Amino acid sequence: MSKEFIFATGIENSNPTIDGGRVRIDQMEKCGHYKHWRKDFELVKELGIRALRYGVPLHRTWLGPDKYDWSFADEAFAELRRLNIIPIVDLCHFGVPDWIGNFQNPDFALEFPKYARAFAQRYPWIQVYTPINEMHICAVFSALYGWWNEQMTSDRAFVTALKHIVKANVLAMHEILGVRPNALFVQSESSEYYHAENPAAIGPAEINNARRFLSLDLNYGRRVDSGMYEYLMDNGMTREEYHFFLHNNLRHHCIMGNDYYPTNEHYVSADGMTHASGEIFGYAVITHQYYDRYRLPVMHTETNLLEGPNGDEAVHWLRKQWANVLRVRNSGVPVIGFTWYSLTDQVDWDIALREERGTVNPLGLFDLDRNIRPVGEAYRKLIRDWGAVLPTKSMCLHVPILMPDETCCAEANAPARTDGSDAARAGAGSFASTETTE
């Protein structure tokens, strides 16, 4: 059982549709992963990274109800297992197959859990999942901003997308646990904050700061704030749908993943419009807000920054994010992992995948020719320097994540929880308090 701090990266596998559903933006294709996937996994291993946020393309794998093409997945996950890399499996990353259409379709919440079960049955050695990535962002960009998938721009469309996405996520967790009782779930979610630009903007900022929690409130079965309850009811959620979330949460199997970029903080004007503020509070302050609300183990699941003209901008951002992680841990929050996302550069994320321009964004540990960037060198050194220190010299949580080479049938069927109950101790470990490191 791995008791080390989890240093991770990810393969960018966003695949939303644009242009009324006629064009799919497949980042795995644009970033060359289908061609270089073996090399990509080798690069993960070379950096000393033990965990990889990874998912096969949903639109190429899930062909219809109970119909799947596992050909690429079989090869990819067999290689990850051979290399003894822990996959944190991303089952849905911003897009659905054409036959589902988009997140307004209620069938998604019913059919996706069946896909999750089929996946878990095919790869029973896999333990850690992110069933649906960034549920809040997926609903906002698809149904409130009008950028992806259904490309709608109303509160009702947003609530519809959100309730379908979160229900699909919750039911997928239940289905996976039916196959793998000690499965763990990392909710990779964008950690947001909205700053009022002037006194007249305080009200709109408060609404946005309440709405940012909706996906996790519903996922973790937490009663939403009264204003958000009215918002949900006014925009199409029924009492029955709301109570489903209260009665079906699996928070004791969950790790709260917090993603943080400079674009996660926003200014809000009096008319409710938002624009980027850049980093003001930072990861440590905002993560404390989320932890105080949910009281779950935390993993920093995404960050990056463009490598600029000096060549060291991303390196400085890595060091700043790492300092924030240490600050959060040393204040007593059980932070169990950190992620630079992604392994390679990305394409067209500077315009949030809203168009196909082919612009390479230098955000990765490696460029698209698979040459290491300065931030890749810095991350390798950070892992080497800190990897053996954190478990013994700071507040830490031993999370029951098994390495692929440790998995056997008995372990796969043992229950695991991330709470501190007696039932959890046999499989889930516990908090271990030792001296802190500044």
Side-chain angles (χ1 to χ4, degrees):
M1 182 179 297
S2 174
K3 294 184 179 181
E4 297 183 14
F5 188 86
I6 301 168
F7 289 100
T9 188
I11 304 294
E12 163 59 344
N13 68 325
S14 298
N15 51 47
T17 58
I18 59 171
D19 193 22
R22 290 180 289 272
V23 176
R24 186 174 297 277
I25 307 297
D26 184 341
Q27 284 286 291
M28 279 186 159
E29 181 176 25
K30 291 184 178 295
C31 299
H33 180 68
Y34 297 139
K35 180 179 179 180
H36 300 294
W37 61 272
R38 290 185 186 275
K39 176 64 173 177
D40 288 347
F41 294 164
E42 291 171 3
L43 295 178
V44 172
K45 196 73 174 177
E46 288 174 12
L47 291 182
I49 293 171
R50 292 160 58 85
L52 180 69
R53 291 197 58 209
Y54 187 71
V56 293
L58 186 63
H59 61 289
R60 294 187 176 197
T61 308
W62 187 24
L63 305 182
D66 303 317
K67 185 178 180 182
Y68 315 107
D69 178 355
W70 301 113
S71 54
F72 179 70
D74 283 348
E75 287 193 271
F77 284 107
E79 182 67 2
L80 286 174
R81 190 175 192 183
R82 186 186 72 81
L83 293 171
N84 203 30
I85 295 171
I86 299 168
I88 302 174
V89 178
D90 221 339
L91 291 179
C92 176
H93 201 119
F94 296 148
V96 295
D98 291 340
W99 65 273
I100 284 286
N102 57 54
F103 295 107
Q104 298 300 300
N105 186 351
D107 290 343
F108 173 66
L110 303 176
E111 295 295 333
F112 178 74
K114 299 176 186 176
Y115 169 73
R117 171 175 277 273
F119 185 97
Q121 288 173 330
R122 192 164 187 91
Y123 310 107
W125 62 274
I126 292 175
Q127 182 187 9
V128 191
Y129 289 84
T130 299
I132 300 180
N133 173 72
E134 286 192 345
M135 295 179 284
H136 171 78
I137 293 297
C138 189
V140 167
F141 286 12
S142 298
L144 197 60
Y145 291 176
W147 293 351
W148 301 336
N149 302 309
E150 53 262 51
Q151 294 184 267
M152 299 176 75
T153 56
S154 70
D155 289 313
R156 181 169 287 267
F158 166 74
V159 170
T160 299
L162 186 72
K163 69 184 183 182
H164 293 163
I165 289 168
V166 181
K167 183 177 181 179
N169 191 77
V170 170
L171 291 177
M173 290 193 289
H174 279 280
E175 292 294 334
I176 292 167
L177 286 167
V179 177
R180 176 91 192 229
N182 71 344
L184 294 170
F185 304 101
V186 180
Q187 273 73 51
S188 177
E189 186 59 278
S190 184
S191 51
E192 306 276 318
Y193 193 84
Y194 296 83
H195 304 273
E197 200 164 40
N198 52 55
I202 292 174
E206 288 178 344
I207 291 171
N208 278 284
N209 280 323
R211 188 164 55 194
R212 65 180 167 145
F213 290 124
L214 280 179
S215 65
L216 293 181
D217 280 355
L218 296 175
N219 189 72
Y220 295 141
R222 184 190 189 277
R223 292 188 178 275
V224 302
D225 298 343
S226 60
M228 285 297 101
Y229 180 78
E230 293 181 359
Y231 173 79
L232 293 173
M233 296 297 112
D234 289 346
N235 287 288
M237 182 175 284
T238 66
R239 286 172 58 91
E240 181 182 14
E241 289 172 330
Y242 177 66
H243 284 279
F244 164 85
F245 296 109
L246 297 184
H247 299 146
N248 284 280
N249 80 85
L250 291 166
R251 54 176 289 124
H252 52 284
H253 284 271
C254 292
I255 296 165
M256 183 178 63
N258 291 82
D259 302 348
Y260 182 79
Y261 299 93
T263 53
N264 284 38
E265 298 188 53
H266 318 265
Y267 282 126
V268 184
S269 58
D271 62 2
M273 298 298 291
T274 65
H275 59 276
S277 67
E279 183 188 27
I280 296 177
F281 284 169
Y283 176 80
V285 170
I286 296 175
T287 294
H288 265 286
Q289 294 174 355
Y290 281 76
Y291 176 72
D292 289 344
R293 191 175 186 91
Y294 301 113
R295 295 288 169 170
L296 286 169
V298 173
M299 181 173 177
H300 191 322
T301 37
E302 282 187 28
T303 196
N304 64 41
L305 191 73
L306 289 170
E307 180 180 295
N310 295 330
D312 60 359
E313 294 86 347
V315 174
H316 289 309
W317 182 255
L318 171 68
R319 290 171 178 165
K320 178 182 281 190
Q321 291 306 294
W322 183 242
N324 273 261
V325 167
L326 292 178
R327 180 176 178 84
V328 172
R329 282 174 61 90
N330 291 342
S331 67
V333 176
V335 182
I336 59 94
F338 174 78
T339 311
W340 184 274
Y341 195 89
S342 53
L343 180 74
T344 67
D345 292 347
Q346 301 168 16
V347 179
D348 289 334
W349 258 112
D350 56 316
I351 54 169
L353 310 184
R354 285 175 284 175
E355 299 176 19
E356 281 196 299
R357 296 182 182 175
T359 303
V360 176
N361 309 136
L363 299 165
L365 300 170
F366 295 84
D367 65 25
L368 293 185
D369 292 323
R370 276 53 185 178
N371 298 313
I372 195 165
R373 289 195 176 278
V375 70
E377 298 280 11
Y379 195 31
R380 176 161 52 196
K381 184 176 187 303
L382 188 153
I383 294 168
R384 185 169 58 243
D385 290 347
W386 287 93
V389 175
L390 288 178
T392 57
K393 291 192 176 180
S394 62
M395 180 70 73
C396 67
L397 174 71
H398 289 169
V399 176
I401 295 177
L402 301 172
M403 297 300 294
D405 64 2
E406 297 175 313
T407 302
C408 70
C409 293
E411 290 164 330
N413 291 324
R417 297 159 62 98
T418 57
D419 62 14
S421 66
D422 289 339
R425 291 193 180 104
S430 59
F431 290 98
S433 179
T434 56
E435 65 176 291
T436 58
T437 302
E438 289 292 342

